[in-house]
Amino acid sequence: CFGQMVVKGLFCNYLACLAVWIATMARDMGGRYVGIFLPVSTLIATGYEHSVLNMLLLPVALMAGAPITPVQVLLMNILPVSIGNAIGGSILVGASMTYSFGKFGRLRRR
């Protein structure tokens, strides 16, 4: 279960960062809307987990009387999803963009 949540967090943040990156690369507002809509709707439809959203929804579920404990929320969701989000944002997106457009790519192409 822990590994599944890490992978869900990883792909969620990859798609969220992809939406931001596409929106910044778009030349007009229509391209920005589509560039944000497609990755975000994909991550919602697939059921991926984002730590910031879970930090809002899970305490609300606790207050509403859901049959979970705060320790379960932290150890079985927030922690693994945050690890996955960090890996997805820093390694998958950050490293690939740095390689494609930054210093690492220039060093390799020489």
Side-chain angles (χ1 to χ4, degrees), residues 19-36:
V20 171
W21 186 73
I22 291 172
T24 58
M25 294 296 133
R27 297 184 185 268
D28 60 352
M29 287 306 291
R32 288 189 178 131
Y33 290 142
V34 172
I36 292 171

Side-chain angles (χ1 to χ4, degrees), residues 26-88:
R27 297 184 185 268
D28 60 352
M29 287 306 291
R32 288 189 178 131
Y33 290 142
V34 172
I36 292 171
F37 177 77
L38 292 177
V40 170
S41 62
T42 301
L43 73 89
I44 291 170
T46 54
Y48 292 149
E49 301 275 340
H50 198 273
S51 60
V52 175
L53 179 62
N54 290 347
M55 286 179 201
L56 169 75
L57 294 179
L58 292 174
V60 171
L62 284 170
M63 288 187 281
I68 54 175
T69 65
V71 173
Q72 288 175 320
V73 168
L74 288 174
L75 295 179
M76 297 176 64
N77 192 292
I78 299 295
L79 179 65
V81 170
S82 296
I83 291 169
N85 286 164
I87 293 170

